[in-house]
Amino acid sequence: MSHLLDKPVLKWLLVLLVVCGASFFASSLQLREDAMDMLPDAMVKGDMAIFNKLGLVNRVYINVGIDSAEPEISLAQWGALRRSVEKMGDMLAREPLFDQTSYRLDPGYELAFMEDIRTRLPEMLTADDYLVLETKVSEEGVRTALEGVFRMLNSPAGIAMAKQIVADPLGLTLLAAERLKGMRGEFAVNLRDGLFVAEDGKNCLIWADAATSLTDSQNARDVNRRLQKIIADSLEPGISAYTIGTLPHTLSNINMVDKDLKLLLPLATIVLAVFLFWVFRSMKAFLVLFIPFLAALPSLALLHYIYPKISAMALGFGIVLTGLAVDFAVHIYLALTRESGGRDAILRNLRRPVLLAWITTSAVFVILLSSSVSSHRQMALLALFGITFAVIFSWLLVPTISGGHGLRLGGGERFFSRDFPSGPPQLLICAWVLFLTAGAFAWPHLRYNGDMQVLDAVNDEIRRTDTDFKNKWRRADDQAFVVATGKNLDEVLDRNDLVNSYLAEHLGGVYHSMAPMLPGLETRLQRHQLWNSFWTIHRDQLDERMRRIGVELGFRPDSFSPFIASLHRDARIKSSEELLSGPFRSLFSSMVRDSGTRGPESVLALTVVPLREGSLPIIQNLALKEKHIHVISSQGWRRDVEQMLRSDIVRLSFLGIAMVCIVALFSFRRFRPVVAALAPVGSALSAMALWDFCMGNGMNLMHVLMGLMVIGLAVDYGIFSVCAHQQGISAVTRRAVSVCAVSSCIGFGVLSLAGHPALHSLGSTVLIGIGLAWPTAIWVTPAILGKAKQ
């Protein structure tokens, strides 16, 4: 069998058979373009899971407005705006791509509100309200109230409201109606004709919850396509609309990535092809570079076996990482075509550095498998498979196309073969140590930026609309979302009462909650007892006063008997579901949600708190005491991500460096070769630390990937340089390391031109790291080794 594999044709047939077989299994691969894949697992399973249950992640906010320089719009303009909103809302409500749409209250909501509040009085009035009631039922209070009722009934407006006025002559409903102020949620919303209107009276609000995830690019495209059609069909002349939320941000990121890749990948290919032709002046070199990419399909087939759906981000970067295995093919090709000696002897000499480089690079990606980010793990596994297959394919196929020793050097090879002035070895080592010292100084001063917005590619239009929306609807710059959870509605509302009481005590009334309008069952029972106790003491005396004062003012003696009778009978305690389905259901819909699952946190109630200085720790203390209450805010989000980011960077970098140190120590055993092999790693990490420190760039999630990638590349340069020095073939290896480094710099350097922050951050930082690891492997590593073979 081994004799058969010596034949080049059979080697190619074997590799192509593996690739063709893998293509069959990889053909059913499903891509997952979801921004969630870039978040730490703790965030996806924690805060983001809660946001998903509440519908906030997949919620689309639509501002429908009319441009007018006048302080107020005319009735005709309001009519056009109202019709546009009603048509759009109706179409969205019937659209299968949306689960729930809110754009108006039910017709006749004013009377329904007051009637519903009147029936809720026993459960809405607090102990403080009864202090006000004491004055209302007093002699003076009753006289003042009935005098007002008399004037109202004798006015034009009072004729239509006679029934409501007589049913509540003391104005108890108005006392409870103050609770509506807390129902505005995260926006300043007014009502006109049942529509949600901004304070300027020129803009209306619609919100709709998508039935599918809007962080997924394909879902976002489908929803946006349908949404834009509905908007275009709904708007009357002079009316405009725009959307904010997850949807426009997802679309902006998709478009930016597509634009960058369409421009930069061809650019990188052209530049790399020109460079390689200049270096080798041989078409065989292009075939050598093609061989490692044959590993892509087998790698994808294996990854698909483990993950049914693969992150598109992981696929894109994983293929790039797989391309790093080109380094192995270049070293094998140059050794076979430039070194003296037989092919078997050259391959024996190559076996050790190739094996060591494969072990260290693979070890780095094995470490990345412990990352807290899902796409990082998929990326690492794909790169691990890809590099392994690429090394095997390169070892089998590159010798079959290598023409033997003595081929004419290309112009680029002659350039990289030159002895560039490098200065005395001692001076080089001193400069290198100083550079490492500077990097060690910069490292503790690096800022860890957990704000995911630094990786968000937003255009000017999104910035403009977000700012405009925030100004029109008075959305706070920073808010905390306090979420009470439970297995059913009664349990959730009781916990939401706890949130309301805590915030009222520690923050005052600067928050938005539905607890005053929809208290929990336990609170409702207590308030009903308070209601009955109060009227047991006061109702007979109140009845006498209202009859006497009413007759004095001209009312019939029994005019207010229905009101007194309503106080005599014990009010029925409504169920939570019954209260939730009343005329306030449109307002409640954005603040309470049944996720449709079973479990201890299947139902959620939301309280929105605009943050002030020092208020977040106070709110978070409640979540620390109550495990079913969660606090989510951008401030807390950044802090948590920064902590996870710092932990991941420190832990994975330490493990990566420790792993390559162990491999180098085990392979070379002596101090000087070990330090020489690791010298490019030290330079690369110092360069990246100094770059981020000097530029003021905060470290983000991409740095976890970048740091390990650079460690894997840089240590390969060091290993090949040390092995070449020990074998006396430094000149050829220097050319190979230079070609590999420049190729990597071209690929990642082009990414530094990307408009998308994630791609730009990846490209520029890796470019800096590899850019310093390369000269270190060429100059500093030989200087550390000295003249003698180590």
Side-chain angles (χ1 to χ4, degrees), residues 193-499:
D193 292 345
L195 303 183
F196 305 125
V197 184
E199 291 181 348
D200 62 8
K202 305 173 186 178
N203 295 271
C204 294
L205 179 63
I206 300 174
W207 66 86
D209 296 346
T212 55
S213 173
L214 293 183
T215 59
D216 182 278
S217 61
Q218 187 57 52
N219 292 341
R221 290 189 183 100
D222 294 341
V223 169
N224 185 65
R225 191 179 303 114
R226 183 59 186 149
L227 179 60
Q228 294 306 316
K229 180 67 166 57
I230 290 174
I231 291 176
D233 292 343
S234 303
L235 298 181
E236 294 192 6
I239 311 299
S240 61
Y242 62 78
T243 62
I244 71 160
T246 303
L247 179 61
H249 285 260
T250 299
L251 294 171
S252 179
N253 279 274
I254 297 168
N255 295 335
M256 185 68 75
V257 170
D258 288 346
K259 179 181 177 181
D260 283 338
L261 294 182
K262 288 178 181 178
L263 174 64
L264 298 179
L265 286 181
L267 177 62
T269 302
I270 293 171
V271 174
L272 186 59
V274 171
F275 168 73
L276 294 175
F277 182 77
W278 173 68
V279 169
F280 295 115
R281 302 288 175 86
S282 170
M283 294 305 296
K284 287 184 177 180
F286 292 100
L287 188 57
V288 169
L289 295 170
F290 168 74
I291 288 172
F293 286 96
L294 292 173
L297 283 174
S299 305
L300 286 173
L302 280 178
L303 187 65
H304 180 42
Y305 179 77
I306 299 172
Y307 293 101
K309 288 188 176 182
I310 300 175
S311 165
M313 187 70 74
L315 177 62
F317 285 134
I319 295 299
V320 170
L321 296 176
T322 301
L324 299 180
V326 167
D327 292 5
F328 296 96
V330 168
H331 280 284
I332 295 171
Y333 176 75
L334 286 178
L336 289 171
T337 57
R338 303 299 185 253
E339 293 176 19
S340 57
R343 190 190 73 164
D344 292 342
I346 293 172
L347 289 176
R348 279 196 302 271
N349 291 333
L350 277 174
R351 188 177 297 126
R352 181 169 176 250
V354 168
L355 181 61
L356 290 177
W358 171 78
I359 290 174
T360 52
T361 303
S362 299
V364 165
F365 289 114
V366 168
I367 291 170
L368 188 58
L369 289 173
S370 65
S371 170
S372 63
V373 180
S374 171
S375 62
H376 286 181
R377 296 194 295 272
Q378 290 189 19
M379 202 179 303
L381 204 56
L382 180 59
L384 188 62
F385 292 151
I387 288 172
T388 301
F389 278 114
V391 169
I392 295 172
F393 291 173
S394 297
W395 192 262
L396 288 174
L397 301 182
V398 170
T400 66
I401 59 173
S402 301
H405 175 67
L407 293 179
R408 181 173 62 87
L409 296 182
E413 279 195 88
R414 288 195 296 272
F415 175 81
F416 290 122
S417 298
R418 295 169 55 190
D419 291 326
F420 293 96
S422 58
Q426 296 83 356
L427 184 61
L428 274 175
I429 294 174
C430 288
W432 176 66
V433 171
L434 288 174
F435 184 70
L436 293 185
T437 303
F441 168 79
W443 181 264
H445 295 85
L446 294 180
R447 180 173 55 88
Y448 296 83
N449 190 349
D451 190 352
M452 297 304 296
Q453 291 184 359
V454 300
L455 300 178
D456 187 17
V458 294
N459 53 40
D460 292 337
E461 182 181 357
I462 291 178
R463 294 189 185 94
R464 179 185 62 78
T465 55
D466 283 354
T467 301
D468 182 72
F469 188 89
K470 182 176 66 176
N471 293 335
K472 286 177 178 175
W473 297 97
R474 295 200 177 180
R475 193 178 195 179
D477 290 331
D478 203 357
Q479 302 176 115
F481 298 90
V482 185
V483 184
T485 61
K487 62 179 180 292
N488 55 52
L489 186 57
D490 285 335
E491 191 173 71
V492 163
L493 294 181
D494 284 336
R495 288 173 180 158
N496 196 49
D497 280 343
L498 177 63
V499 172

Side-chain angles (χ1 to χ4, degrees), residues 63 422 516 708:
N63 182 91
S422 58
L708 290 174

Side-chain angles (χ1 to χ4, degrees), residues 595-646:
S595 65
T597 60
R598 288 190 175 184
E601 297 192 338
S602 58
V603 184
L604 306 92
L606 174 65
T607 300
V608 182
V609 186
L611 290 178
R612 297 174 294 179
E613 185 176 355
S615 61
L616 182 59
I618 296 174
I619 303 171
Q620 289 173 329
N621 284 338
L622 175 62
L624 294 175
K625 298 174 184 176
E626 302 289 338
K627 74 172 188 174
H628 292 294
I629 295 175
H630 308 273
V631 177
I632 307 171
S633 70
S634 56
Q635 290 183 25
W637 178 282
R638 285 193 295 268
R639 182 203 61 205
D640 293 343
V641 172
E642 284 170 9
Q643 289 177 351
M644 285 184 283
L645 175 63
R646 184 186 294 269

Side-chain angles (χ1 to χ4, degrees), residues 18-79:
V18 171
V19 172
C20 291
S23 66
F24 173 77
F25 291 102
S27 61
S28 59
L29 178 69
Q30 293 182 338
L31 287 185
R32 172 184 162 93
E33 293 181 278
D34 198 324
M36 294 292 183
D37 293 331
M38 293 301 295
L39 294 178
D41 289 343
M43 286 293 162
V44 175
K45 296 176 182 177
D47 292 352
M48 292 307 298
I50 293 173
F51 270 138
N52 270 325
K53 288 180 180 179
L54 284 168
L56 296 177
V57 174
N58 301 321
R59 183 165 294 169
V60 177
Y61 296 98
I62 308 170
N63 182 91
V64 186
I66 184 167
D67 294 327
S68 174
E70 299 298 326
E72 296 182 1
I73 59 177
S74 66
L75 288 177
Q77 289 175 317
W78 167 250

